[in-house]
Amino acid sequence: MDPLIASLKVAASGLEAQSTRIRIVSENLANARSTGDTPGADPFRRKTVTFAAELDRATGAALVEVERLGVDEGEFSTEYDPGNPAANEQGIVKMPNVNMLVEMADMREANRSYEANLQSIKQSRDLISATIDLLRASQ
């Protein structure tokens, strides 16, 4: 198979994977302060995404795919907030196990990877167009 087409497939799989990663990080950020509904209830758990390489038999290229979506089983932090509906008898509220700094760093990395894959697609497209133009000019 044509290496330019293979590069498009690899970059497209990267775009899809990073798009999923950005969506998961966005959900984590949006729910970073989401507590349970009842006293002592567990709050939002941080979501995770795991990638895997998959060989594309048609091109022989290694594509990236989302292997699974999971949850972080880490400990919840606690805060004293007796006015919160999720507070227990002592006024302690379980807070999500989302670390905003980690999520922002993950978002930045996913965004940069997405942009790199997009740039790769643009360059492959330009190379294909240049090849077609050369073929037209030689006729």
Side-chain angles (χ1 to χ4, degrees), residues 40-78:
D42 284 347
F44 174 81
R45 279 202 179 272
R46 178 180 181 263
K47 294 182 179 181
T48 61
V49 60
T50 305
F51 298 127
E54 180 180 313
L55 183 65
D56 182 35
R57 293 173 195 244
T59 61
L63 306 179
V64 64
E65 70 173 11
V66 174
E67 184 175 47
R68 72 180 170 87
L69 300 175
V71 293
D72 184 351
E73 296 295 333
E75 294 291 319
F76 295 121
S77 61
T78 57

Side-chain angles (χ1 to χ4, degrees), residues 51-137:
F51 298 127
E54 180 180 313
L55 183 65
D56 182 35
R57 293 173 195 244
T59 61
L63 306 179
V64 64
E65 70 173 11
V66 174
E67 184 175 47
R68 72 180 170 87
L69 300 175
V71 293
D72 184 351
E73 296 295 333
E75 294 291 319
F76 295 121
S77 61
T78 57
E79 289 184 7
Y80 179 73
D81 185 5
N84 192 312
N88 63 14
E89 300 82 32
Q90 294 81 29
I92 304 296
V93 179
K94 292 181 186 177
M95 298 304 291
N97 58 348
V98 176
N99 182 330
M100 297 290 276
L101 290 175
V102 169
E103 298 302 323
M104 292 303 292
D106 204 23
M107 177 68 84
R108 178 178 285 190
E109 183 181 337
N111 190 33
R112 287 185 178 169
S113 295
Y114 186 92
E115 289 173 359
N117 283 304
L118 189 59
Q119 187 63 29
S120 178
I121 287 175
K122 287 177 182 178
Q123 288 182 348
S124 294
R125 186 187 64 201
D126 290 346
L127 285 170
I128 291 170
S129 293
T131 302
I132 291 170
D133 290 344
L134 286 172
L135 291 171
R136 283 185 188 155

Side-chain angles (χ1 to χ4, degrees), residues 28-45:
N28 290 340
L29 289 170
N31 289 296
R33 302 288 298 166
S34 298
T35 61
D37 295 334
T38 59
D42 284 347
F44 174 81
R45 279 202 179 272

